[in-house]
Amino acid sequence: MTKVTYVENDGTRRDIDVQDGENLMDGALDNLVPGIDGDCGGVCACATCHVHVDSEWLDKLPPMDATEDAMLELTDDRNESSRLCCQIKASPELDGIVVHTPAGQH
Amino acid sequence: MTETVVIVGGGQAGAQVAVSLRQGGFDGRIVLLGDEPVLPYQRPPLSKTYLAGELARERLFVKPAAFYEKVNIEHQLGEAVCAINASEQVVCLDSGQTLHYDHLVLATGGRVRPLPCSGADHPQVNYLRTLADVEAMQDKFTEGTRLVVIGGGYIGLETAAVAVKHGLKVTLLVARPTPLGRVTSPEVGKFFEAVHREAGVTLRCDTEVVAIEDDGGDGQVAAVVTSCGYRVLADLVVVGIGLLPNVELAQSAGIACDDGITVDEYGRTNIDNIYAAGDCANHPNPIYQRRLRLESVQNAVDQGKTVAATICGKDKPYAQVPWFWSDQYDLKLQTAGINAGYDQTVIRGDVDSRSFAVFYLREGRLLAVDAINRPAEFVVARNIIGKNIVVSAERLQDESIPAKALADVPVNSGSTEDTTKDDAHNQERVA
């Protein structure tokens, strides 16, 4: 299990144990974390699972591929900490990761 | 008094209406009715990762069961609605139960178009629309099974791709001259034809199925007889030849239908307090200036949001650029827009590299793109189409301009003619 802290737009923090190997979008949806839609089901086709990752964790993530990079252009407030959380899999190296969910997806 | 919203249809659109109603602050009663005996699930993986055995069943569901409980969305599944009494504001279920509504949402989706030839009821003939359809055929997805896929649309091609990867012997029969003929161009269709042949699929275009016969007399093997005189033996036949919108319930209640349930830009039908969303709904599209009925996740989700907003009194007209995707082998096809009526195609990139985009234009304006392993082109095209930006064919083709900069056309850089056209078009859209 990987502890993931989802911080909502209003500041609410939730610590959720996500099964290793599962992605952080499913972790959010399974636990009813608001702000994540995941319309395409996690195949990097819709960009509705946008999160901002706390800076100290950014370097520990696998690099984004061209599809994720392109799809992020559809999001409203992309910055250097933006990722699509369907592309982030829970793993021991990410135990404790903090991600911020937006008020809503585009 | 507390209002009740009844949603008929437990698919992606129905679920979205329910979710968006709660997000929009609706605090009345929400009842979701579905004729399939399972909670709303996502259909796209059925012919992709779920068919391939790569996706766990619980991952198909739009929301986990706990969600409906938490936000107090009632659901009654496994039972069909048989009638609407609009004057009494009541729906009747097969069981004889009746339900009063203040607002009624029809998210009835569609059903598979049946194969119109003799022998189509052969026991080895399957369709691919529901979870039950997939689960009924999954144990035959093993090496050596002889599979005939009828239909060269998304469902047929995706099924063939999964099957050939699992070692099935796949024959794909396509009625049109190229696969994906209804939705894309010959260029893209020919590309996918070549991809499937290379992967080991036996593919026959311009081929209609004229009969299904039983080979052996015990119902175990079907013989698919084609218009060209082939007789192809199959342990399994999968038919994917399109969808028929479920409009009968609406029609018998006096709701206007024409290729789907006719709605306005707010998702309203011609009868007060009755709305429609998703595959069954036919809406006026402001981008294409005509009515469209779309079969896609994007449309189900966005129309679901539109209808929920209307019920919540926060009218938000539907004005989305349609988009679609298909995964086959190592290829991701992403389509933005509707190419119908194009008079020019522009290919960006090299088809042989399996990474290219085909732009479709009409009178110099972008209608749609098919992006194959080109997500940046897909993304920028959604912007260009949605914002009605004029980008020349030469610019779209020019790979020295990064894809994401294609829409950055300086206001005064276009020709005078283009600027005039742009103004005229904008005025037309405002009017």
Side-chain angles (χ1 to χ4, degrees):
Chain A
M1 286 291 191
T2 301
K3 192 187 97 174
V4 179
T5 301
Y6 295 90
V7 184
E8 289 167 38
N9 188 247
D10 67 0
T12 308
R13 296 173 75 91
R14 290 165 202 252
D15 294 339
I16 287 173
D17 288 326
V18 181
Q19 186 94 39
D20 290 343
E22 297 278 358
N23 67 56
L24 269 53
M25 180 200 81
D26 285 330
L29 295 177
D30 287 352
N31 294 283
L32 317 182
V33 174
I36 300 293
D37 292 343
D39 290 343
C40 76
V43 296
C44 209
C46 69
T48 62
C49 65
H50 178 210
V51 294
H52 293 290
V53 179
D54 252 18
S55 54
E56 60 181 297
W57 293 95
L58 274 175
D59 293 344
K60 300 190 173 69
L61 298 177
M64 68 173 81
D65 64 14
T67 303
E68 184 182 351
D69 185 29
M71 296 304 292
L72 274 167
E73 289 295 313
L74 290 167
T75 63
D76 293 329
D77 49 352
R78 180 180 190 174
N79 64 25
E80 65 287 349
S81 71
S82 290
R83 292 296 301 255
L84 296 178
C85 63
C86 70
Q87 300 300 304
I88 304 175
K89 282 190 174 162
S91 65
E93 309 82 73
L94 299 182
D95 193 39
I97 188 173
V98 179
V99 300
H100 299 258
T101 61
Q105 301 289 333
H106 65 97
Chain B
M1 210 184 93
T2 310
E3 289 197 316
T4 298
V5 176
V6 171
I7 301 164
V8 182
Q12 186 106 38
Q16 188 65 49
V17 172
V19 170
S20 294
L21 280 169
R22 284 289 181 247
Q23 285 171 344
F26 179 80
D27 60 1
R29 186 175 178 216
I30 301 175
V31 188
L32 181 65
L33 305 173
D35 59 358
E36 289 182 64
V38 287
L39 284 168
Y41 58 89
Q42 307 170 71
R43 294 191 197 277
L46 294 183
S47 50
K48 307 180 182 82
T49 49
Y50 189 66
L51 182 61
E54 293 163 5
L55 189 73
R57 193 174 192 272
E58 69 264 23
R59 288 280 162 245
L60 284 175
F61 295 97
V62 174
K63 295 282 179 191
F67 175 84
Y68 297 90
E69 207 169 310
K70 184 179 177 200
V71 303
N72 194 19
I73 294 168
E74 298 171 44
H75 48 78
Q76 260 179 257
L77 304 168
E79 198 182 350
V81 171
C82 57
I84 299 164
N85 182 333
S87 55
E88 302 285 326
Q89 298 196 187
V90 163
V91 296
C92 308
L93 282 81
D94 276 350
S95 63
Q97 185 194 350
T98 58
L99 267 172
H100 166 79
Y101 65 82
D102 297 291
H103 302 275
L104 176 66
V105 181
L106 301 175
T108 48
R111 59 184 181 276
V112 292
R113 184 186 298 278
L115 192 63
C117 69
S118 68
D121 57 350
H122 190 280
Q124 304 313 330
V125 173
N126 291 260
Y127 293 84
L128 204 164
R129 171 72 181 165
T130 66
L131 186 52
D133 290 339
V134 175
E135 290 179 343
M137 71 170 87
Q138 240 165 354
D139 61 350
K140 288 204 173 164
F141 263 66
T142 51
E143 203 169 336
T145 295
R146 293 167 296 178
L147 169 69
V148 173
V149 178
I150 302 172
Y154 291 123
I155 298 286
L157 294 189
E158 290 171 359
T159 302
V162 171
V164 85
K165 266 168 67 183
H166 279 66
L168 283 76
K169 293 176 182 157
V170 184
T171 303
L172 176 61
L173 305 177
V174 180
R176 292 172 187 261
T178 59
L180 296 174
R182 187 174 68 89
V183 291
T184 185
S185 56
E187 290 91 333
V188 173
K190 284 200 179 92
F191 169 76
F192 276 98
E193 181 180 344
V195 165
H196 280 270
R197 283 193 205 282
E198 202 177 298
V201 173
T202 303
L203 197 146
R204 300 194 193 287
C205 295
D206 281 318
T207 302
E208 301 268 2
V209 173
V210 294
I212 308 275
E213 295 169 358
D214 186 42
D215 190 80
D218 59 359
Q220 292 303 304
V221 178
V224 180
V225 183
T226 75
S227 50
C228 318
Y230 293 109
R231 192 169 184 274
V232 191
L233 297 185
D235 306 300
L236 177 67
V237 177
V238 175
V239 183
I241 54 171
L243 193 77
L244 301 171
N246 289 330
V247 298
E248 291 76 6
L249 182 68
Q251 266 172 338
S252 59
I255 297 167
C257 297
D258 183 7
D259 182 28
I261 301 169
T262 305
V263 296
D264 67 9
E265 63 269 43
Y266 302 104
R268 300 179 296 206
T269 69
N270 62 317
I271 294 189
D272 283 349
N273 300 326
I274 303 184
Y275 317 81
D279 290 3
C280 68
N282 186 308
H283 74 279
N285 191 287
I287 295 168
Y288 294 97
Q289 302 270 315
R290 64 187 174 92
R291 288 198 155 269
L292 291 175
R293 186 177 67 78
L294 299 169
E295 298 162 5
S296 69
V297 167
Q298 170 272 321
N299 181 62
V301 168
D302 288 330
Q303 274 185 345
K305 290 177 181 172
T306 296
V307 166
T310 304
I311 293 172
C312 291
K314 301 169 186 168
D315 292 3
K316 194 183 81 175
Y318 181 88
Q320 311 294 327
V321 179
W323 55 266
F324 312 83
W325 82 93
S326 177
D327 299 322
Q328 297 166 43
Y329 310 106
D330 58 335
L331 301 172
K332 189 187 245 339
L333 164 64
Q334 293 175 288
T335 298
I338 301 289
N339 75 4
Y342 70 87
D343 58 23
Q344 185 181 8
T345 55
V346 173
I347 299 179
R348 179 179 170 91
D350 176 12
V351 174
D352 293 334
S353 72
R354 296 165 76 100
S355 167
F356 64 100
V358 180
F359 294 97
Y360 302 93
L361 297 92
R362 184 177 60 208
E363 293 170 6
R365 254 167 217 289
L366 187 62
L367 292 176
V369 70
D370 286 322
I372 289 112
N373 289 354
R374 284 282 180 132
E377 279 78 354
F378 165 76
V379 167
V380 79
R382 273 175 66 174
N383 257 324
I384 293 171
I385 298 165
K387 293 179 182 156
N388 191 24
I389 301 167
V390 177
V391 182
S392 69
E394 295 70 30
R395 188 173 170 88
L396 291 171
Q397 196 161 29
D398 185 353
E399 290 226 72
S400 72
I401 304 166
K404 66 178 173 187
L406 286 174
D408 304 340
V409 185
V411 177
N412 295 318
S413 77
S415 68
T416 314
E417 191 196 359
D418 276 355
T419 313
T420 315
K421 266 193 202 165
D422 197 25
D423 288 347
H425 194 82
N426 282 333
Q427 279 161 15
E428 185 186 318
R429 281 183 55 185
V430 171

